[in-house]
Structures are given as structure tokens and as C-alpha cells.
Amino acid sequence: MLKVGLGQDMHRLCQGGPLILGGLSIDAEVQAIAHSDGDALIHAIIDALVTPICGENIGSLFPDNDPRYRSVDSVSLLQAVRDRFLQGVSIHNMDCVIILDQPKLGPYLPAMSKRIASILGLESHQVSIKAKTSEKTAPDRIEARVVSLIEVK
Ligand code: C5P
Ligand code: MG
């Protein structure tokens, strides 16, 4: 059965980098405020995959008041999701948008696609990512939205 998934995540920003995003550590003047490492893109990807498969979401799987997940590397959460839920699931593609005023993310996007694709056993072209500013309406926030198309056997 073909299913679409939708994931969204948002974090406040504070001064001081690096910014952890899409499994990369980006040299930036801001970082996400979070219980985990605040990787909004990976958090949105997890929801875009897990909810259509089993109805769970990142908060039900990895509660943000659980000390085990304090400062956790979100890549390890995505790997856990892969191992637990993605056997027998074929990901057709994911399209992602990151909303962030600064820094400009264009130079980082190819490496981000490659990193996420390699974790999930995909080709880079199956993980498309674009960036938009908030047009200064949310300068202290990072947001990610992801749609996925998956085949569940
Ligand atoms: O939000 P806006 O349409 O003004 O963004 C213009 C372009 O700047 C985007 O299409 C994208 O290519 C780039 N951008 C970026 N990094 C950001 C925000 C936008 O590379 N953090
Ligand atoms: Mg998050």
C-alpha cells in the first residue's frame, strides 16, 4: 500500500553554535534549544515516516522528558526508527523544507541529503531538501516540514 507521510518540527534558537541540522554540524551563530540535539529536520523526517506506518510519533517513541534522550544525537533516533519500523517498508522519496533566516543553508544541502539518504539506505535524489527564510517573521526559530511517499507491504 502506498502512503504519504507528513512531519513537522520547530525549535527556538539561541546564540552560540554549532547548529545541528540534517545530521550535520553547521558552523553558525545560533543553535536550537532542545532536550535532544534539536535537529528539527531529522525530527520531522521521523514523524513523516513513523506515523503512517504505525501511528506513533517522535514524542511517543522518545519522550522529551526522558533523561535517556537528553542531548541525544538525533541520527541515533533515526537509526533506531530505521531498525525498528522500516523493515519491509520502501521509501519512494521525501521532500523537505527548512525555514530558517540565518545562516544560508544552500551550500550544506547536498551533504545533508547524502547523509540522510545513507542512513536510510536511499539515493541522495530520494531526499530532496530546500531552505526558505521566514522573511524575518520568525528570526529566532527553526522549522522543518517533510512529506514522504512510502510503500508499506
Ligand atoms: O525565503 P526566501 O524565498 O527569501 O529565500 C530565498 C532563497 O534563499 C531560497 O529559495 C533558498 O534558495 C535560499 N535560502 C537558503 N538558506 C536559508 C534560507 C533561504 O539557502 N536559510
Ligand atoms: Mg525537535
Side-chain angles (χ1 to χ4, degrees):
M1 181 191 289
L2 264 184
K3 291 188 163 189
V4 293
L6 173 64
Q8 187 270 350
D9 194 38
M10 199 184 281
H11 285 272
R12 283 180 299 139
L13 298 170
C14 65
Q15 288 300 309
L19 180 67
I20 307 299
L21 190 61
L24 303 184
S25 178
I26 292 174
D27 190 19
E29 291 175 5
V30 291
Q31 61 187 318
I33 300 171
H35 182 71
S36 69
D37 65 2
D39 192 325
L41 179 58
I42 288 190
H43 297 175
I45 286 172
I46 288 173
D47 276 358
L49 295 174
V50 156
T51 312
I53 292 169
C54 66
E56 299 281 357
N57 64 77
I58 190 168
S60 61
L61 294 171
F62 312 109
D64 67 5
N65 56 5
D66 186 328
R68 281 179 297 168
Y69 305 121
R70 180 175 295 283
S71 301
V72 70
D73 175 0
S74 296
V75 166
S76 72
L77 303 183
L78 184 59
Q79 288 167 332
V81 161
R82 175 197 64 199
D83 295 344
R84 185 166 162 198
F85 298 106
L86 298 182
Q87 312 304 322
V89 171
S90 170
I91 300 169
H92 191 276
N93 76 301
M94 294 189 287
D95 190 37
C96 315
V97 58
I98 300 162
I99 300 153
L100 177 71
D101 281 357
Q102 289 292 337
K104 288 289 185 191
L105 294 174
Y108 300 99
L109 298 182
M112 224 180 265
S113 296
K114 195 172 170 188
R115 175 104 168 102
I116 291 160
S118 82
I119 295 164
L120 295 172
L122 303 173
E123 303 286 335
S124 295
H125 68 83
Q126 293 173 282
V127 184
S128 49
I129 311 173
K130 54 196 164 287
K132 295 290 288 180
T133 70
S134 77
E135 288 288 354
K136 298 182 183 164
T137 62
D140 57 355
R141 185 161 84 194
I142 182 165
E143 189 174 345
R145 297 178 194 150
V146 176
V147 289
S148 65
L149 183 64
I150 58 183
E151 173 89 39
V152 182
K153 299 189 179 87

